[in-house]
Amino acid sequence: LDQHGLLGPAVVKVGLQVGRDLLALGDDGFLVGVLFLQLGDHTSARGRFEEALELDPEHPDARRELARCLLESSPDPEVVERAIELVNQVIDKHPEDWRAYETLGDAYVRTGDLLAALYSYEDALRHGKNPARVEEKYAGVYEQLLQLPEGEEL
């Protein structure tokens, strides 16, 4: 927010108008869901991703972003497991989707399975354009693994 607290509400207002425009153009809900996710409105984002999946149950991007939305909205282990299931479904059908591997790595970090997270981020880097955020996540998990006491199970 700016010093007067005005920028945040303005961005949200513009974002909501863009969302209405996308719906008017016939968006299946996916793009509006991404917009809501970017604005931090996980409830609305989840609803839009679920709508997109009702229209097209095989929509890989909606499935992946629903998983990401779940991860960002709840630390509940059952929700995290659901996110892992969703993203694995994407990877099964679209093994080149680097964003799915990144989301899977994020989920494994949440569960504490750092080795699985490292492998997932490695897959994201192998299949993607090596975005800096994935490189940073990979390096962070690698550092955590190096700092584990000797003999501690992974």
Side-chain angles (χ1 to χ4, degrees):
L1 291 176
D2 61 298
Q3 65 181 5
H4 302 290
L6 300 175
L7 185 58
V11 169
V12 170
K13 186 175 181 179
V14 168
L16 292 175
Q17 182 57 51
V18 169
R20 283 189 213 95
D21 293 345
L22 288 170
L23 287 174
L25 292 171
D27 175 55
D28 61 6
F30 171 72
L31 294 175
V32 176
V34 170
L35 179 63
F36 279 128
L37 191 57
Q38 294 298 318
L39 293 171
D41 184 347
H42 296 100
T43 302
S44 297
R46 182 178 179 169
R48 295 301 180 180
F49 295 139
E50 288 171 345
E51 284 177 20
L53 287 169
E54 284 177 21
L55 293 171
D56 178 4
E58 299 300 317
H59 196 310
D61 297 327
R63 189 173 301 277
R64 181 193 64 239
E65 293 306 304
L66 176 58
R68 188 164 70 102
C69 182
L70 292 172
L71 286 174
E72 291 180 8
S73 67
S74 176
D76 182 309
E78 289 181 15
V79 173
V80 174
E81 282 304 315
R82 177 69 181 128
I84 290 171
E85 289 172 18
L86 287 167
V87 79
N88 274 325
Q89 291 168 0
V90 174
I91 290 170
D92 286 345
K93 292 186 179 185
H94 303 277
E96 74 290 344
D97 186 342
W98 67 268
R99 288 178 184 92
Y101 291 106
E102 177 188 15
T103 303
L104 186 59
D106 295 345
Y108 284 134
V109 166
R110 185 72 61 87
T111 67
D113 189 344
L114 297 180
L115 194 56
L118 187 76
Y119 290 141
S120 295
Y121 292 142
E122 192 174 273
D123 287 336
L125 292 170
R126 186 178 18 221
H127 293 289
K129 299 174 184 165
N130 296 333
R133 73 173 183 269
V134 178
E135 291 175 358
E136 290 168 11
K137 290 175 182 181
Y138 178 88
V141 169
Y142 187 78
E143 278 297 314
Q144 289 180 49
L145 286 168
L146 287 177
Q147 300 203 5
L148 288 176
E150 192 172 321
E152 185 173 318
E153 285 194 37
L154 299 177

